Amino acid sequence: MNQKELNELRRRWKPDKNAISRIYGCFVNGNKEIVTDLDESLGMMTQEEAEKYLSLLKKALSGALGKNLIDIVFSTRQVMTGEEHRMLMELRTSGAKDARVRQAFYQKVIQSLDMGESNYLLLLASDSYDVPHRNRDALRAEGSDEVFSYILCAVCPVKTGKTELGYFSGDNEFHCAASQTVAAPELGFLFPAFDDRAANIYNALYYSRGLVDIHEEFITGVFQTEKVPMSSGAQKLAFSDVLCESLGSDCSLDLVRSVHGEIRERLLLHKESKAPEMPEIYVEDVDDILKNNGISDEKVSAFHEACSRQLGQQPALNPVNLMETNKFEMTTPQVKITVDPDYTDLIRTEVIDGRTCLVIPVDESVVVNGIDVSTGGAHDGEDS
């Protein structure tokens, strides 16, 4: 899926935009027991309740592609004979109305998912989208030849609040009770994927709020994929480790600045182009950056091999997952400095009194905790 296709689906998750008739799900406690089933008519809910449910489900389509939203790929064998794929197809075909299939799905999730001792609400909804034609200018046109039927699932932690004194209208009395609040989804998925504005039953789109812990046990248990995708957080850590370990002392400030600048430049060009597809960067591109910074062929080869080993045999990498590009941050055990990425060229290292120091020129005012301070230059208020 690309960004335009994702945005097209996101816009449907409003009470007046979708074809959702019912919201299904179950409330699961910390002992992995179903406390209650949910089977509610969306049309019979108050507007506020309907919007809350749809908002929670929509969050399973939030975040960035390749970062919070990860492609799950099914093999041909799974599509033809896989039990896990058949269950998802049955949920989709029945519009999630088949109680037997729903209960089997709930149990599969409960057996697979590790939420510790937390309670959670599993939400499930089915939608059918008459996909409109688009003309060459990507504007809506009349008519539709494609109906995209899909399910959306979200797993939301249920958090217990503080015990408070409150009024209970049924008893006409005040009692102490702790509230149970449904939080934003921890994970979820869309099936099938919406590729080329049509159903792709060979893919699902998986959502994870966390960037490091993506609940691999859920992916393995529910989708039975042959290879669990690496989280964006894990990719970032692996790329950093590969740079440090393969380059050793050559992993300098100037080198990291060059790699950071190249990745950031590609992302900015992609943003300007407004292309819906994810930007890509190849390991060979990083090899070239290293060579241009004077890194030996031996260390470049070591880097390349380590990348293949740590990040997998991927022809292209997602630059969003390799390095933080919205900021340039330098950290020591005592100090953290964040620099605007447009001004990283101002930073240099310098040996002062026998110690290696980070040097950042100060030409204008410096503000510390909201207070303009003197930088030790010309004495403010004194005659020269």
Side-chain angles (χ1 to χ4, degrees):
M1 289 179 64
N2 61 39
Q3 193 63 50
K4 283 186 178 180
E5 292 161 346
L6 179 61
N7 291 342
E8 193 170 345
L9 287 188
R10 284 173 174 169
R11 287 192 288 269
R12 291 191 57 74
W13 288 84
K14 296 180 180 178
D16 59 338
K17 297 289 186 181
N18 58 71
I20 298 167
S21 60
R22 305 190 75 81
I23 300 292
Y24 302 101
C26 60
F27 176 38
V28 182
N29 65 22
N31 294 322
K32 294 195 170 187
E33 301 166 333
I34 295 180
V35 177
T36 184
D37 275 327
L38 181 68
D39 181 354
E40 299 287 343
S41 167
L42 194 68
M44 296 297 290
M45 295 180 188
T46 66
Q47 182 176 347
E48 183 179 14
E49 286 178 342
E51 288 177 351
K52 288 290 185 182
Y53 277 116
L54 293 177
S55 176
L56 288 169
L57 283 158
K58 181 181 178 180
K59 281 182 168 58
L61 296 173
S62 63
L65 287 166
K67 199 166 187 175
N68 303 93
L69 296 165
I70 305 169
D71 283 325
I72 301 295
V73 181
F74 295 101
S75 67
T76 302
R77 178 193 59 78
Q78 286 180 292
V79 173
M80 297 298 292
T81 61
E83 179 182 338
E84 63 288 338
H85 191 274
R86 182 171 62 251
M87 180 183 292
L88 294 175
M89 286 296 291
E90 288 178 348
L91 278 174
R92 177 204 183 204
T93 303
S94 69
K97 294 177 182 178
D98 190 322
R100 176 190 61 82
V101 179
R102 284 203 314 272
Q103 289 299 324
F105 173 70
Y106 296 162
Q107 290 302 321
K108 174 67 74 172
V109 171
I110 292 168
Q111 292 165 14
S112 304
L113 182 59
D114 182 7
M115 293 285 281
E117 297 182 357
S118 298
N119 303 335
Y120 61 87
L121 175 65
L122 188 157
L123 291 175
L124 183 67
S126 172
D127 183 27
S128 293
Y129 175 33
D130 289 326
V131 183
H133 293 305
R134 289 187 182 276
N135 60 26
R136 292 182 179 179
D137 297 324
L139 299 175
R140 284 186 179 272
E142 296 297 326
S144 171
D145 295 328
E146 178 79 25
V147 177
F148 175 57
S149 298
Y150 64 99
I151 56 172
L152 187 63
C153 175
V155 177
C156 309
V158 177
K159 300 183 178 180
T160 303
K162 294 181 179 180
T163 300
E164 303 283 357
L165 185 65
Y167 177 68
F168 289 74
S169 56
D171 300 332
N172 197 27
E173 295 175 349
F174 285 88
H175 300 288
C176 283
S179 62
Q180 297 279 319
T181 305
V182 180
E186 182 77 13
L187 64 145
F189 69 89
L190 166 81
F191 176 82
F194 187 51
D195 290 335
D196 295 325
R197 305 184 70 237
N200 176 6
I201 63 172
Y202 285 81
N203 281 60
L205 187 67
Y206 178 75
Y207 166 78
S208 173
R209 185 177 66 85
L211 299 182
V212 177
D213 180 8
I214 61 173
H215 288 282
E216 294 182 5
E217 78 283 356
F218 179 94
I219 298 174
T220 300
V222 173
F223 302 117
Q224 293 290 313
T225 53
E226 296 177 358
K227 184 178 180 181
V228 176
M230 183 181 285
S231 71
S232 64
Q235 289 179 48
K236 182 179 177 181
L237 290 172
F239 184 74
S240 299
D241 289 344
V242 166
L243 271 179
C244 293
E245 292 174 8
S246 58
L247 303 187
S249 60
D250 287 336
C251 190
S252 63
L253 170 62
D254 288 340
L255 177 71
V256 173
R257 179 164 43 201
S258 293
V259 175
H260 177 276
E262 177 68 24
I263 293 175
R264 183 169 182 268
E265 180 65 22
R266 290 185 181 229
L267 289 172
L268 290 174
L269 290 173
H270 174 265
K271 185 176 181 180
E272 290 175 3
S273 72
K274 297 182 179 180
E277 289 75 21
M278 294 296 296
E280 295 179 341
I281 189 168
Y282 294 83
V283 176
E284 289 79 6
D285 296 332
V286 185
D287 291 346
D288 291 338
I289 299 172
L290 301 183
K291 291 176 181 177
N292 292 337
N293 278 268
I295 303 301
S296 68
D297 290 342
E298 181 181 357
K299 288 192 174 182
V300 171
S301 295
F303 165 79
H304 192 103
E305 292 173 6
C307 265
S308 298
R309 189 168 57 252
Q310 295 292 329
L311 296 170
Q313 298 290 339
Q314 303 179 62
L317 303 171
N318 184 348
V320 173
N321 295 339
L322 299 184
M323 194 173 282
E324 178 65 66
T325 56
N326 293 327
K327 62 182 179 181
F328 193 82
E329 186 175 272
M330 296 167 290
T331 305
T332 74
Q334 299 81 24
V335 178
K336 179 185 290 186
I337 302 172
T338 302
V339 180
D340 187 319
D342 290 329
Y343 297 97
T344 59
D345 58 317
L346 296 177
I347 309 163
R348 69 179 190 274
T349 57
E350 187 174 316
V351 178
I352 301 175
D353 294 333
R355 302 179 67 185
T356 302
C357 302
L358 283 173
V359 178
I360 303 175
V362 177
D363 297 325
E364 299 178 9
S365 64
V366 174
V367 179
V368 177
N369 290 340
I371 303 171
D372 287 316
V373 298
S374 171
T375 57
H379 298 291
D380 295 339
E382 293 186 7
D383 295 331
S384 56

